[in-house]
Amino acid sequence: MALDAFQQPTKDLLAVLGEQVSVARQDGTTASFLAFVDQAVQDVGQRARVYGSKRVVAMMVADWQPLRGDEFTVRGKAGKVEEIAESDGLVVTVVLNG
């Protein structure tokens, strides 16, 4: 598989830039692993300048395959998966609620 060549470099990047996250599924399954975390302020809406907080977590598919409703704990704050933004087969990116 072509993505196999990117497995180790991605793990190496996570070892340097990743943050520890934990996740729990409604069936009781849990995991803890390194992921890329983007927590930033974003503009919301088109007609007025309103700010909202956006938390995005990108993890290796080999570590966890997220489903809507999974609850991630990132930087001490829990949030459920609101949207599975993208997956390239190697890394999957989710947007957390809250």
Side-chain angles (χ1 to χ4, degrees):
M1 179 178 198
L3 292 177
D4 289 342
F6 296 99
Q7 291 278 347
Q8 192 57 50
T10 303
K11 288 180 185 181
D12 294 343
L13 277 173
L14 280 167
V16 176
L17 302 174
E19 296 183 42
Q20 194 69 37
V21 302
S22 59
V23 62
R25 190 160 280 159
Q26 292 174 347
D27 67 4
T29 306
T30 62
S32 183
F33 48 85
L34 292 173
F36 300 112
V37 177
D38 177 15
Q39 186 166 344
V41 173
Q42 67 176 359
D43 286 332
V44 179
Q46 296 176 349
R47 302 199 185 274
R49 190 142 191 141
V50 178
Y51 297 100
S53 177
K54 175 175 124 177
R55 289 190 305 150
V56 177
V57 178
M59 71 221 72
M60 292 188 69
V61 171
D63 290 335
W64 188 261
Q65 296 208 17
L67 299 174
R68 283 190 71 145
D70 286 355
E71 185 171 68
F72 282 78
T73 301
V74 179
R75 297 179 182 169
K77 185 174 178 186
K80 290 191 177 185
V81 173
E82 182 176 301
E83 174 188 359
I84 299 173
E86 65 181 311
S87 176
D88 62 9
L90 179 65
V91 174
V92 60
T93 303
V94 297
V95 178
L96 300 181
N97 188 348

